[in-house]
Amino acid sequence: RSVSFNAAISACGEGQQWERALSLFGSMATASCPPNVVSYGAAICACERSHHWEHALGILAEMRALRHPPDVVTCNSALSACEKGKQWEHAFSVLAEMLGHGLAPDLMSYNAVMSSCEKSVRWELALSTLQQMHDSDLRPDVINYSAGISACEKVGRWEQALRLLVALRASSGEPDEICYNSAISAFEKGKQWERALLMLVEMQEGSSSPSLISYN
């Protein structure tokens, strides 16, 4: 029976019907069908899709209280909910809990944490998270670097944005349009017009074609 409940909860989540998803989730116990790890994950994902981070974290806490150890996928859904809600502090708490319970965060975990830093203009934390990835032998991807560059851009830290762009190239990564545009914007805020022009030329000669945002 849990398979049917889980499928229905997931379907509600995909349809942005988070309240119905949680209603189904809550009715499992009364139907003599206790939720399992998949049930909890589906409920958290439903909350994440509808940007209800408080409910997502509440369900995650319930999992731990009832001794249902969450897996990486479930934690990533909770992290994504925090990211969408600009809850960087909660995102770091979930990340710390993962590490404390022996779960190895993956690229998606760190992407959500770094994106929450970027949206909350916490550029120092974004950079320290990148370093944490390196320390754990997890190679950051373009999305990680892009979030870091964007976080630096928001506060005009063009030097740090440039360092991240250089580090991305050094790791054999190819900056995308978002990385370039964020770097150019950082140069603009730092009154580094020559660097901005050079970056635009680099875009034209590379695989990322400049957009209207780049020229602006």
Side-chain angles (χ1 to χ4, degrees):
R1 295 182 63 189
S2 62
V3 174
S4 301
F5 271 105
N6 294 344
I9 294 170
S10 296
C12 290
E14 291 175 2
Q16 305 291 316
Q17 300 294 317
W18 68 276
E19 290 176 305
R20 291 191 178 187
L22 294 192
S23 178
L24 284 169
F25 176 73
S27 68
M28 292 184 73
T30 57
S32 300
C33 182
N36 55 26
V37 173
V38 177
S39 312
Y40 279 102
I44 291 174
C45 188
C47 296
E48 177 266 330
R49 288 175 182 271
S50 298
H51 298 210
H52 287 280
W53 62 270
E54 304 99 322
H55 293 287
L57 293 184
I59 296 170
L60 187 68
E62 181 182 316
M63 282 189 77
R64 297 196 189 282
L66 296 177
R67 301 187 184 280
H68 288 296
D71 56 14
V72 173
V73 174
T74 302
C75 289
N76 284 351
S77 293
L79 285 171
S80 181
C82 294
E83 177 260 323
K84 290 179 178 177
K86 300 180 181 179
Q87 299 295 317
W88 64 272
E89 292 173 302
H90 289 298
F92 273 96
S93 293
V94 173
L95 185 67
E97 288 180 359
M98 291 177 71
L99 294 169
H101 287 83
L103 288 178
D106 58 15
L107 282 176
M108 291 185 65
S109 311
Y110 284 107
N111 284 341
V113 172
M114 289 203 62
S115 184
S116 70
C117 293
E118 180 262 325
K119 290 181 177 179
S120 302
V121 199
R122 297 283 175 172
W123 66 274
E124 305 101 321
L125 290 175
L127 297 188
S128 67
T129 302
L130 268 178
Q131 185 58 53
Q132 183 177 341
M133 293 182 71
H134 283 295
D135 293 342
S136 61
D137 295 325
L138 189 62
R139 179 178 172 183
D141 61 8
V142 174
I143 297 176
N144 296 129
Y145 278 107
S146 179
I149 293 170
S150 181
C152 294
E153 175 270 329
K154 290 184 186 305
V155 292
R157 296 280 179 172
W158 66 269
E159 300 98 329
Q160 284 82 1
L162 179 58
R163 290 194 190 102
L164 290 180
L165 202 63
V166 171
L168 173 57
R169 294 197 197 98
S171 66
S172 301
E174 179 65 30
D176 59 12
E177 182 184 330
I178 297 175
C179 290
Y180 278 119
N181 287 344
S182 294
I184 290 173
S185 179
F187 294 148
E188 180 267 327
K189 290 180 179 178
K191 297 180 172 55
Q192 300 292 317
W193 63 270
E194 292 175 316
R195 293 182 184 274
L197 290 179
L198 287 173
M199 192 67 63
L200 195 61
V201 171
E202 183 177 321
M203 287 185 73
Q204 293 171 330
E205 294 176 347
S207 60
S208 297
S209 300
S211 63
L212 285 175
I213 296 176
S214 310
Y215 287 108
N216 290 338

